[in-house]
Amino acid sequence: MSQKLIDLKSPRPRFARSINVERDSGSDAIEGYLPVGRAIDAIGRLASALNRDDVEVALSLTGPYGSGKSSLAIIISALLGPEGDPARGSAEALLDEVAPETLAIVRSARIRLGAEETGFIRASATADREPVTATVLRALVHGAERFIPAKGQTRTHKSVLGRLHQMLSQFEGQNPVNPEPRSVRREVERLSTLAPVLILIDEFGKNLEAFADAPSEADLFLLQELAQHQ
């Protein structure tokens, strides 16, 4: 009886579809990733910036479709996850094999920022053709919901999460209310009292398309507010 190749060997799910930074996480999303030199360089630059007080930690990555940008974002998110997270362990093992010196810089940054145990608040979102404020709010909600606050932080965590949900629901309502960039920044500042905040936006070109369609409604000033916040 003849058999088809797919009956004998099937691809892992992560290779069967595009990576989505909101949907995909954990060791399964990392397994099989092959970090090339530019990816290692990007991780090293970010980690080096996190180890300094005199630079703004805002990076952008550009490249053609399928070049691994989304996968790299998931690796970075995993490296900045909490202690004991299987995804962080997988990402560290992968990086240790090809660039142990870069992993050492990542670990130094986590320790320096007091996030070795708790990890970062990892706010990830895949942009749509929408104002950047909507994408950032969705990312912040995503990050706050999966962050586990330490003892004594629960009240602040619930308060910030509630406020973020409120702003996002107002934005997505029948009569959208676009929050002021400084209002969003204030909630990021409150989140940062719990742990360092990492904001990852994938498919950012869609935000630029929205800005080209309606500059007044899709103002990018929020990104400047966040980038310059220390």
Side-chain angles (χ1 to χ4, degrees), residues 22-42:
E22 293 180 66
R23 177 195 63 211
D24 299 309
S25 62
S27 300
D28 290 342
I30 296 170
E31 187 177 356
Y33 178 74
L34 301 175
V36 297
R38 291 185 178 180
I40 295 171
D41 179 64

Side-chain angles (χ1 to χ4, degrees), residues 19-96:
I19 289 290
N20 182 289
V21 297
E22 293 180 66
R23 177 195 63 211
D24 299 309
S25 62
S27 300
D28 290 342
I30 296 170
E31 187 177 356
Y33 178 74
L34 301 175
V36 297
R38 291 185 178 180
I40 295 171
D41 179 64
I43 295 171
R45 289 190 184 194
L46 174 61
S48 296
L50 292 174
N51 272 300
R52 298 176 58 180
D53 289 323
D54 59 342
V55 295
E56 296 173 1
V57 188
L59 301 177
S60 63
L61 299 174
T62 59
Y65 174 81
S67 58
K69 300 183 298 299
S70 299
S71 294
L72 175 58
I74 288 178
I75 293 290
I76 291 173
S77 177
L79 287 170
L80 299 179
E83 188 176 44
D85 181 7
R88 174 169 141 180
S90 296
E92 287 191 333
L94 184 151
L95 190 59
D96 189 41

Side-chain angles (χ1 to χ4, degrees), residues 70-127:
S70 299
S71 294
L72 175 58
I74 288 178
I75 293 290
I76 291 173
S77 177
L79 287 170
L80 299 179
E83 188 176 44
D85 181 7
R88 174 169 141 180
S90 296
E92 287 191 333
L94 184 151
L95 190 59
D96 189 41
E97 184 175 351
V98 295
E101 67 285 350
T102 301
L103 177 59
I105 299 174
V106 172
R107 286 173 171 164
S108 174
R110 288 196 311 245
I111 294 172
R112 176 180 179 272
L113 295 172
E116 180 64 12
E117 295 184 4
T118 64
F120 282 49
I121 295 173
R122 296 163 294 157
S124 305
T126 300

